[in-house]
Amino acid sequence: DAGVTQSPTHLIKTRGQQVTLRCSPKSGHDTVSWYQQALGQGPQFIFQYYEEEERQRGNFPDRFSGHQFPNYSSELNVNALLLGDSALYLCASSSGQEPNYGYTFGSGTRLTVV
Amino acid sequence: GIQVEQSPPDLILQEGANSTLRCNFSDSVNNLQWFHQNPWGQLINLFYIPSGTKQNGRLSATTVATERYSLLYISSSQTTDSGVYFCAVVGETSYDKVIFGPGTSLSVIP
């Protein structure tokens, strides 16, 4: 049973560029949440997708956008990258039918903006 | 929104020692999980424990929802226990939005 898969594992981008990160949820899960974890801090909630729509959003600017596909996989897009966007980006999946049962996290994408 | 505090922020243990990590939260929760983040960044789900007590090997956890705290116990610590331990909650009024605490950084030395 595959867990949550994220790609790429590492990425280096230049300020002002755009980036797309990808996530495939655990088998049987239909809800995907994205988190940003800066060095030495806990993960911060970016947004959550369920039934191909953004269901909740944290305190992140519109430069952060996402998408969920019919197969439940998801993308996180960040436009006009800033140095402060350098972080570990984590994807978590869960079941919309059992939202409080628990979350499974991927290994993350480490983004460095130079 | 709901606030999550964890203590202590840092902990250094000799191998074989026991420890207790604490998580306080400011409002009622539907969901509480303990995670271990290894040095490579992977978050491993240790317990889903919105209330009650659970045990898994050398680890156990207790959540007292009415008093808004949770404890994670690590017994006979091993060097592989090193990493950061996070408490994460979903508040009753923040449907499905997981809020993480700041974490406890644990170092187990031989």
Side-chain angles (χ1 to χ4, degrees):
Chain A
D1 182 20
V4 178
T5 304
Q6 291 188 243
S7 63
T9 55
H10 295 82
L11 203 52
I12 300 175
K13 288 288 189 178
T14 305
R15 276 180 300 175
Q17 286 188 314
Q18 179 264 344
V19 68
T20 297
L21 311 181
R22 296 177 176 82
C23 173
S24 293
K26 181 179 177 179
S27 178
H29 285 180
D30 56 9
T31 302
V32 174
S33 304
W34 286 92
Y35 293 81
Q36 181 195 65
Q37 186 177 19
L39 199 61
Q41 298 182 19
Q44 300 293 312
F45 177 79
I46 303 175
F47 43 52
Q48 182 183 81
Y49 279 84
Y50 174 67
E51 293 187 341
E52 302 181 49
E53 292 190 357
E54 184 181 291
R55 181 157 69 175
Q56 283 210 75
R57 189 178 182 93
N59 288 332
F60 280 80
D62 292 344
R63 299 187 296 109
F64 289 78
S65 63
H67 188 76
Q68 186 178 34
F69 299 93
N71 66 353
Y72 308 123
S73 66
S74 176
E75 289 182 349
L76 164 65
N77 299 292
V78 186
N79 294 322
L81 284 167
L82 304 173
L83 295 179
D85 295 331
S86 295
L88 178 67
Y89 288 84
L90 294 162
C91 168
S93 73
S94 56
S95 169
Q97 301 305 312
E98 298 285 345
N100 293 323
Y101 191 72
Y103 294 78
T104 301
F105 280 81
S107 299
T109 294
R110 194 165 295 278
L111 172 65
T112 302
V113 182
V114 296
Chain B
I2 193 168
Q3 304 295 316
V4 182
E5 299 175 346
Q6 290 186 246
S7 60
D10 300 281
L11 188 58
I12 300 175
L13 293 177
Q14 199 79 36
E15 199 169 22
N18 302 328
S19 63
T20 301
L21 281 55
R22 187 178 179 101
C23 170
N24 293 331
F25 41 96
S26 61
D27 207 344
S28 301
V29 298
N30 284 332
N31 177 332
L32 187 147
Q33 287 184 261
W34 283 97
F35 291 94
H36 174 220
Q37 189 167 41
N38 65 24
W40 297 272
Q42 176 72 55
L43 276 167
I44 307 297
N45 182 6
L46 299 175
F47 293 102
Y48 166 74
I49 187 165
S51 64
T53 297
K54 290 186 178 179
Q55 180 156 7
N56 184 3
R58 297 181 296 103
L59 303 181
S60 64
T62 295
T63 298
V64 183
T66 53
E67 297 186 22
R68 300 181 182 169
Y69 73 88
S70 183
L71 302 173
L72 177 68
Y73 306 95
I74 304 174
S75 64
S76 304
S77 58
Q78 301 176 358
T79 55
T80 52
D81 295 330
S82 297
V84 183
Y85 289 80
F86 289 104
C87 168
V89 304
V90 176
E92 285 187 348
T93 59
S94 56
Y95 178 69
D96 243 13
K97 178 179 175 180
V98 180
I99 305 298
F100 280 78
T104 291
S105 178
L106 173 65
S107 296
V108 181
I109 56 178

